[in-house]
Amino acid sequence: SQQGEEDPQALSIQEGENATMNCSYKTSINNLQWYRQNSGRGLVHLILIRSNEREKHSGRLRVTLDTSKKSSSLLITASRAADTASYFCAPLYNQGGKLIFGQGTELSVKP
Amino acid sequence: GAGVSQTPSNKVTEKGKYVELRCDPISGHTALYWYRQSLGQGPEFLIYFQGTGAADDSGLPNDRFFAVRPEGSVSTLKIQRTERGDSAVYLCASSLTGQGESYEQYFGPGTRLTVT
């Protein structure tokens, strides 16, 4: 399978703590994207990191990419209850555009 | 204009019936994607359009599923002889382009299809 595999499947933390989610994939990629989904509907794009990039930041989000290990991580700092959602990584393996999603990490941030 | 829109938001149909699901992408986005998502799973790719043509339909599960995008904007996903296993949330996404530099995809809210 070419899908990204997220780890852990579920994560529960207290508000203010940091949350780290990991993603592994199988073959070389064009880029890797992270998405958030609330309540099982519409996904929201968070960050796109290209294969020649190693780290990217967006607000409280930090994404790293290690192409030698075929892995990526998403760090959410100073988490809030509103960050409670499912998070998906989606490797893009060629320039054709389709994303291959894994099962996601279900994050619960308790106030 | 606004984001990707999908209609209807919910559709309940009987087994064996025909359904059409509509997607309005973001204006100017040439690439359009259909995914479906079952409970507890990530979205599963169905088909991708670049302009009016289907560039990749490898995710369509069988010949009961068909999608069109006749004018390169709105797309319709058509399911014939629906089965209970087709019940899922059908998601549509669009992006500036699907070729060359690959951009982020913007998702609609989805259509929840229930086949009884």
Side-chain angles (χ1 to χ4, degrees):
Chain A
S1 168
Q2 290 189 312
Q3 69 188 37
E5 299 286 347
E6 292 91 347
D7 172 63
Q9 291 188 355
L11 179 62
S12 182
I13 59 174
Q14 293 295 130
E15 213 167 23
E17 293 181 339
N18 295 341
T20 299
M21 289 159 269
N22 302 297
C23 170
S24 59
Y25 56 91
K26 293 287 191 282
T27 62
S28 60
I29 58 173
N30 178 293
N31 65 57
L32 186 143
Q33 303 182 31
W34 284 90
Y35 288 82
R36 184 187 74 219
Q37 185 176 42
N38 294 86
S39 305
R41 302 294 285 264
L43 287 89
V44 174
H45 180 267
L46 296 177
I47 288 186
L48 181 155
I49 186 164
R50 293 185 168 79
S51 59
N52 61 353
E53 297 176 314
R54 292 295 167 259
E55 188 170 310
K56 209 159 182 182
H57 296 254
S58 176
R60 294 183 296 112
L61 307 181
R62 172 179 169 246
V63 166
T64 62
L65 180 65
D66 186 334
T67 53
S68 67
K69 295 181 179 178
K70 294 185 173 55
S71 67
S72 174
S73 68
L74 170 66
L75 168 68
I76 305 174
T77 60
S79 63
R80 305 167 182 168
D83 294 329
T84 295
S86 293
Y87 291 81
F88 296 91
C89 74
L92 196 148
Y93 290 97
N94 54 45
Q95 295 178 341
K98 71 181 181 187
L99 296 173
I100 311 294
F101 291 88
Q103 289 191 326
T105 292
E106 192 172 332
L107 174 66
S108 175
V109 181
K110 300 185 186 308
Chain B
V4 177
S5 62
Q6 293 185 246
T7 55
S9 56
N10 286 283
K11 176 70 177 178
V12 180
T13 190
E14 292 180 350
K15 180 176 177 295
K17 299 289 189 183
Y18 167 84
V19 296
E20 289 189 352
L21 311 179
R22 176 188 168 107
C23 173
D24 275 277
I26 292 172
S27 177
H29 280 193
T30 60
L32 184 146
Y33 311 80
W34 283 100
Y35 298 84
R36 74 175 174 181
Q37 186 175 25
S38 300
L39 194 63
Q41 303 294 317
E44 172 193 8
F45 170 79
L46 296 177
I47 186 170
Y48 145 57
F49 288 89
Q50 183 63 45
T52 60
D56 183 349
D57 64 358
S58 61
L60 294 178
N62 51 58
D63 61 6
R64 295 186 298 105
F65 288 74
F66 189 71
V68 295
R69 194 186 186 199
E71 297 178 356
S73 178
V74 170
S75 176
T76 305
L77 178 66
K78 308 180 181 192
I79 311 174
Q80 299 178 322
R81 305 183 303 280
T82 51
E83 299 177 356
R84 292 194 180 88
D86 298 334
S87 297
V89 176
Y90 288 80
L91 296 165
C92 176
S94 70
S95 68
L96 277 172
T97 180
Q99 297 175 346
E101 186 70 11
S102 293
Y103 293 93
E104 54 266 34
Q105 297 182 15
Y106 294 86
F107 282 79
T111 292
R112 185 179 300 279
L113 175 66
T114 303
V115 182
T116 62

